[in-house]
Amino acid sequence: MKRNQLIIGLMLFSGISFSQKKTFSDIRKFRIRNTGAIVQSGEVTGSYIFYQKDKVDKKNNLYVIEFLGPNLESVGTKEIVASKFENLTQAAYDGTSLCLRFFNPREKTISYQLYDNKASLVKELKSGELNKYALMTENAALNQNLETFSNFSELGQAGGFVGYEATKPKKTGFDVQYFDAKSGKKWKYSSPASESMHLYPSYLCSTDKIVYTLVAKKKSAMTRDIDYHVYANRLSDGKYMFDLPPKDNKYQYMYYSAFNHPGTDHTTFLGMYFNLGDKLLKAKSQGLVMHTINSKGEDVEKKHVSWARDISKLLTADQRLKIKDAGNMYFHHIFRSPQGKIYAVAEQYKKVFAAGASALSMLGSGSGANAHPSAKLVIEDLFVYEFSKNFELEGVKVFDKEKSNQNMGPGSLYYSSQILGKLAKGYGFFDYAYTQQNKVKDNFTVCYMDYNKDEGKKRKTMKFYAATKQAESDFVTDKISLETDATSLRTLRAKPGHVVILEYFKKEKKLEMRLEKFNY
């Protein structure tokens, strides 16, 4: 069983006073990622589940999609007869419609299906034939059960969805599709056919006028030299507006997240900065950057926070040593509180040589020269960085965890730490689960695992932590331990003060979901 089905874990708290449960029976096939929370304006309003119920014939299967309300009540169910090659890869909710993104390896296409809140199909769109690079990416994610993508998203308050594809005859470019079920508006932007660089797009953020896309640019598929640009497209028609350069006269940048400033045309991008000339896939970052621009792409403000100069003075000697030793932070979530403060949740890791795995690889290949040496990631503590609204560092909270060693597979020793971090996120190797904001109580909760498994037993033992922070208070942490016989497990964000726990029992063809209330 893959660890990504386990590390997200189960979340139970002492003093539980409320519980609701829903059971799905006769499930022929189910992937743990084919369920998720429906989020509207930052808060969870329900959840969805998609599974195979039966086999219709040699070519088609019977699927079920069901929408649940905030208390797990059924609000809509639809049975769908579709090709057995249709694979649900992602889903998103824009406040009006739920959009499901499917990949069909036989047809080599991406399709989008939009449903209303009663599970009625509103619209369906399909891409052209994917090029070989897109097919490699989609097949790898499907075969390896990767959990995360950034090539499809809802646009929040702006409404609608964007999807990124790379279709023939393009070899190196990409397309962006925008569609909105409520207004019926749709458009498509294609990167210039004359572009010689390899482009890898992912959604970054949007305003009521602009869609921002992070575009990684490489001269070839195999090179480690890479630059990260930000493209701006006009929301009304998709017209290309400007490209935010990846560097200035002193530093180069890699952005992770962004947010808008209400009442202005300003957008702030958050990420890491590197010395000019550094190879981003190999170098260690110098610190964090906050870069604010206006709707014309003009600089408004840029601030840097150094690991060595600013952050280290807020850490203990042991914590400083860990950062110096590991040197890598994977940023899971960056967000702004109602008071305007900025928080960044990151997890520490380092790349080391996997001696045992590589020895087995050499034996299996029969020749050391033909071996594919493996790397392993040592995943360590969880960090929460707190900044003022002006990006002045105010505090760093470190949550100590047990070290977790994850083998990244044959050949991974040649991958950069940054690439291995992204792969580890996709495999579910990190211990971070999610962040939940409660606007009513004006707090947020960071949830993560400390995971241990006895390989000789079928029962899985895990600990789940929830660290909650009120506006001007320190974190309060709750912890539970649990054992389960479920084939795979997952927690989903739920309405404020609750969590949805999902347990899948493959042998019994049964899926159980329950809503638990906890105190914070």
Side-chain angles (χ1 to χ4, degrees):
M1 181 186 305
K2 293 185 181 293
R3 187 172 182 263
N4 63 332
Q5 297 172 335
L6 297 175
I7 65 165
I8 301 178
L10 294 180
M11 181 178 177
L12 296 173
F13 289 82
S14 57
I16 290 174
S17 58
F18 178 91
S19 177
Q20 286 182 271
K21 184 176 179 180
K22 186 173 183 64
T23 300
F24 300 85
S25 302
D26 299 322
I27 294 179
R28 186 181 181 94
K29 186 177 180 181
F30 174 72
R31 290 177 182 243
I32 196 71
R33 69 182 179 187
N34 286 3
T35 183
I38 297 175
V39 181
Q40 185 174 8
S41 300
E43 294 195 0
V44 176
T45 58
S47 53
Y48 67 89
I49 180 170
F50 178 86
Y51 60 92
Q52 181 186 341
K53 187 175 182 179
D54 206 350
K55 184 177 180 180
V56 177
D57 51 42
K58 292 182 179 180
K59 296 182 178 181
N60 299 289
N61 293 326
L62 176 64
Y63 301 95
V64 175
I65 178 171
E66 183 160 356
F67 297 93
L68 307 175
N71 296 312
L72 298 187
E73 72 277 16
S74 180
V75 297
T77 304
K78 185 177 182 62
E79 292 187 343
I80 305 168
V81 176
S83 166
K84 65 179 182 180
F85 297 106
E86 292 290 349
N87 293 277
L88 178 64
T89 61
Q90 294 163 275
Y93 184 74
D94 72 345
T96 302
S97 307
L98 180 76
C99 185
L100 304 181
R101 179 187 187 272
F102 292 90
F103 167 55
N104 189 316
R106 175 62 63 89
E107 295 183 359
K108 303 178 182 179
T109 58
I110 299 294
S111 61
Y112 304 92
Q113 296 182 6
L114 281 78
Y115 294 85
D116 62 20
N117 292 331
K118 302 298 181 182
S120 297
L121 181 65
V122 177
K123 181 179 292 188
E124 184 172 10
L125 300 94
K126 183 173 288 190
S127 72
E129 184 177 344
L130 301 178
N131 66 22
K132 67 176 183 179
Y133 295 108
L135 282 174
M136 287 171 57
T137 301
E138 295 290 342
N139 278 309
L142 181 65
N143 295 334
Q144 299 177 44
N145 199 29
L146 290 174
E147 290 283 342
T148 56
F149 277 89
S150 301
N151 54 8
F152 168 69
S153 181
E154 46 82 22
L155 299 190
Q157 294 183 351
F161 306 86
V162 287
Y164 298 88
E165 303 135 14
T167 56
K168 290 184 176 181
K170 293 185 182 67
K171 294 182 178 180
T172 59
F174 67 91
D175 302 319
V176 185
Q177 285 201 72
Y178 168 80
F179 40 91
D180 182 6
K182 185 177 181 180
S183 66
K185 183 192 303 181
K186 65 177 182 178
W187 51 256
K188 181 178 180 180
Y189 164 78
S190 296
S191 59
S194 58
E195 176 65 70
S196 60
M197 302 283 281
H198 286 247
L199 309 179
Y200 304 90
S202 58
Y203 174 74
L204 196 54
C205 78
S206 62
T207 70
D208 59 347
K209 295 180 180 179
I210 301 174
V211 176
Y212 290 103
T213 299
L214 183 66
V215 181
K217 289 190 173 185
K218 302 171 67 175
K219 290 183 178 180
S220 68
M222 301 304 294
T223 183
R224 294 189 178 187
D225 291 333
I226 190 168
D227 285 324
Y228 289 89
H229 294 244
V230 176
Y231 283 17
N233 291 85
R234 195 161 61 193
L235 180 60
S236 60
D237 57 9
K239 183 180 179 181
Y240 172 83
M241 298 175 65
F242 59 84
D243 174 358
L244 185 64
K247 61 188 72 176
D248 54 28
N249 59 2
K250 190 174 182 181
Y251 299 116
Q252 50 190 337
Y253 303 98
M254 179 189 297
Y255 298 111
Y256 280 99
S257 184
F259 59 81
N260 304 311
H261 297 261
T264 75
D265 69 341
H266 295 173
T267 299
T268 293
F269 301 93
L270 297 165
M272 296 190 295
Y273 70 95
F274 301 78
N275 288 325
L276 203 62
D278 281 351
K279 294 184 182 297
L280 297 191
L281 294 184
K282 295 179 64 177
K284 294 181 180 180
S285 74
Q286 298 300 304
L288 304 175
V289 63
M290 182 185 78
H291 186 185
T292 302
I293 64 171
N294 62 23
S295 59
K296 296 180 181 179
E298 300 167 335
D299 287 349
V300 174
E301 185 178 33
K302 188 182 289 185
K303 287 189 175 182
H304 302 83
V305 176
S306 165
W307 298 121
R309 183 181 63 252
D310 304 309
I311 295 176
S312 64
K313 66 184 180 183
L314 297 178
L315 303 175
T316 66
D318 287 343
Q319 291 166 350
R320 286 196 294 270
L321 184 61
K322 277 188 176 182
I323 284 186
K324 183 178 180 180
D325 181 41
N328 295 288
M329 289 280 175
Y330 189 90
F331 283 85
H332 295 287
H333 190 46
I334 302 175
F335 63 96
R336 187 172 54 176
S337 73
Q339 295 78 29
K341 286 192 174 185
I342 301 166
Y343 293 91
V345 183
E347 204 161 351
Q348 186 181 22
Y349 71 97
K350 64 180 177 181
K351 170 188 172 183
V352 298
F353 178 61
S358 293
L360 289 174
S361 177
M362 290 180 185
L363 289 172
S365 67
S367 170
N370 294 325
H372 303 284
S374 298
K376 71 176 180 179
L377 289 193
V378 181
I379 298 170
E380 300 191 38
D381 297 336
L382 192 78
F383 287 67
V384 179
Y385 300 92
E386 180 179 349
F387 303 91
S388 70
K389 61 182 179 181
N390 296 319
F391 204 58
E392 301 293 338
L393 182 65
E394 296 186 340
V396 181
K397 178 66 175 179
V398 182
F399 296 94
D400 295 327
K401 301 190 284 88
E402 293 291 330
K403 289 184 180 180
S404 168
N405 297 299
Q406 298 298 328
N407 192 292
M408 301 304 293
S412 57
L413 190 65
Y414 301 122
Y415 296 172
S416 70
S417 294
Q418 286 84 350
I419 289 177
L420 289 177
K422 290 181 178 295
L423 287 173
K425 179 67 173 180
Y427 289 135
F429 286 163
F430 285 111
D431 294 323
Y432 170 82
Y434 60 83
T435 300
Q436 177 83 302
Q437 288 182 267
N438 189 332
K439 295 181 180 179
V440 176
K441 292 188 176 183
D442 191 21
N443 63 25
F444 68 88
T445 302
V446 178
C447 300
Y448 65 96
M449 290 292 299
D450 229 348
Y451 170 76
N452 290 295
K453 179 181 176 183
D454 184 342
E455 296 291 349
K457 296 181 179 180
K458 290 185 178 180
R459 291 180 67 80
K460 277 68 72 175
T461 302
M462 56 201 70
K463 297 177 182 178
F464 195 93
Y465 291 81
T468 302
K469 189 181 190 321
Q470 208 71 31
E472 299 301 328
S473 304
D474 199 2
F475 282 91
V476 177
T477 304
D478 213 339
K479 178 190 74 174
I480 64 96
S481 299
L482 185 99
E483 291 188 351
T484 179
D485 292 319
T487 306
S488 52
L489 316 168
R490 187 173 190 174
T491 59
L492 302 178
R493 292 173 56 192
K495 63 182 182 179
H498 298 75
V499 62
V500 171
I501 298 171
L502 184 149
E503 296 180 80
Y504 174 50
F505 302 87
K506 184 176 181 179
K507 186 176 180 180
E508 293 83 358
K509 298 181 180 180
K510 181 178 67 174
L511 180 72
E512 292 184 351
M513 298 176 70
R514 65 179 182 274
L515 185 71
E516 303 284 3
K517 183 178 181 180
F518 51 89
N519 299 312
Y520 60 74

